[in-house]
Amino acid sequence: MTVDKIEQPKKALSHIFYSKILFVFSLIVLILAIFSSRISFPRLSLIATHLTGSANTITATSRSAITTTSTPKMASSQYAKELEVAQLAVQRAARLTKRVFHEKAKGTVSKDDKSPVTIGDFGAQALIISALKANFPSDEIVAEEEAAQLREDTPLRDQIWELVKSTKLDDEAAEQLLGGAIKDADAMLEIIDQGNSKGGAKGRIWTIDPIDGTKGFLRGGQYAVCLGLMVDGDVKVGVLGCPNLPVDDAAPLAADIGTNATDEGRGVIFSAVQGQGATSRPLGTAGLAEGKSIAMKPITEMSNASFCESVEAGHSDQGVAGQIAQKLGITKPSVRMDSQAKYGSIARGAGDIYLRLPTSKSYQEKIWDHAAGDLIVREAGGQVTDVSGNRLDFSVGRTLAENKGVIAAPAAVHDQVIKVVQEVLGQQ
């Protein structure tokens, strides 16, 4: 046997052994690449190609590794905790208000300005503030009610306390997130009075209207539980609980929606975070139901548009609103309902335009009547301004002292609506 014949098997074995070493080494490189972000997969493919010549196999393997191990995790959105707490707080408070809504006697008293307030107003405010203070103890709060009257009226206080202590969410985890139960009646009064912030342009300030549209609440119509967070005067989070609006976002506004409220198929929460869009979800009694995005309906023909306004003539000049609608070419009669339910309705496309026209030169809108709705409409693709076309300014205190009236409409037609509003008002 010649030397060449002896050497050929040795060379073959050596080549096989060397190839196996290279394959093992390339496999080690692949594993290291998968678990280390320092080695990119394109570079790994080149290394593997030189080592084994099996570029296609290794590239396919590396693609699989990219798919299964390199998926980025979504960062939690800004104001996520604030939104969750606000939604659950509104849901719990709405549960209390609904209990009162079904009572013939709602414990109604009159405030200094002669506007009505019910035991539901006081109870809902106590529950919401309690939840906010449990989670954000340093935040200020602007709320509509105060407890002075309850300190002088023990039977009324006790009636409210019975409501508050017996109202909770069915989901224990959600209830604990809100801080659980209030200690006693005295603690409840102290909590109600923590809504005494003067507001302003600095810091984190929540604004609450525990029952917006109390007259609608009393007549069996629409009302809303309203909560908004302002940061340095700018609304960042808005939540509206509307127990008597249809859950179905596609349900059109009916003429009797301001008076004919039932429980079946009713109850919705609207919410928004600045820059993150607006959503609606069914109003429940436990944790939060799944939400879905909402958007204002595009107006293709102004004659087919509908507009909402207040039931109370003292809240908006209904005669002027009629002239504006006629000049815009709107043929449908206005839908009248109380509260920020109007904001929620147009935000999801059930209505199109909301007009709240000034009835007095001296009247100043309250920030709790507009903060949440303003944000929800804007995040749903609308625009909200006063009758002069200026954005609502929530930074000057407890009222919208720098604004007169409110015009909310889809962004595409808002300028057109403002122009007609100004023309009609200029003729008055």
Side-chain angles (χ1 to χ4, degrees), residues 245-252 265-268 280 292 348 350:
L245 278 183
V247 174
D248 183 6
D249 289 329
R266 305 293 180 102
V268 60
S280 73
K292 58 182 178 180
R348 64 175 174 177

Side-chain angles (χ1 to χ4, degrees), residues 86 90 125 128-129 132 139-145 194-200 204-210 225-231 233-240 340 365-373 394 397-400:
V90 165
Q125 180 164 311
I128 294 174
I129 294 179
L132 295 179
D139 290 3
E140 292 186 27
I141 298 172
V142 172
E144 185 171 9
E145 313 304 341
Q194 290 186 56
N196 62 355
S197 170
K198 295 180 180 180
R204 289 168 52 103
I205 304 172
W206 294 86
T207 181
I208 303 170
D209 194 339
V225 180
C226 314
L227 180 58
L229 170 63
M230 301 171 297
V231 179
D234 197 19
V235 185
K236 300 295 186 181
V237 178
V239 177
L240 296 175
Q340 290 184 66
E365 299 282 352
K366 310 299 189 297
I367 62 172
W368 52 74
D369 287 331
H370 300 280
F394 296 94
R398 292 171 68 92
T399 69
L400 297 173

Side-chain angles (χ1 to χ4, degrees), residues 402-425:
E402 300 299 321
N403 302 110
K404 291 296 180 185
V406 178
I407 309 297
V413 300
H414 189 269
D415 286 347
Q416 180 183 352
V417 175
I418 284 289
K419 181 180 179 181
V420 172
V421 168
Q422 293 174 351
E423 287 177 0
V424 173
L425 289 178

Side-chain angles (χ1 to χ4, degrees), residues 233-235 274 374-375 378 383-386 388-394 400 402-403:
D234 197 19
V235 185
Q274 188 181 72
D374 168 85
L375 179 65
R378 289 189 289 110
Q383 186 59 270
V384 184
T385 68
D386 63 13
S388 298
N390 301 315
R391 278 279 308 276
L392 303 187
D393 187 350
F394 296 94
L400 297 173
E402 300 299 321
N403 302 110

Side-chain angles (χ1 to χ4, degrees), residues 245-253 265 267-270 278-282 290-295 297 344-351:
L245 278 183
V247 174
D248 183 6
D249 289 329
L253 294 180
V268 60
I269 292 181
F270 300 105
T279 62
S280 73
R281 54 174 36 83
E290 184 177 355
K292 58 182 178 180
S293 296
I294 57 174
K297 181 176 63 181
S345 293
I346 69 169
R348 64 175 174 177

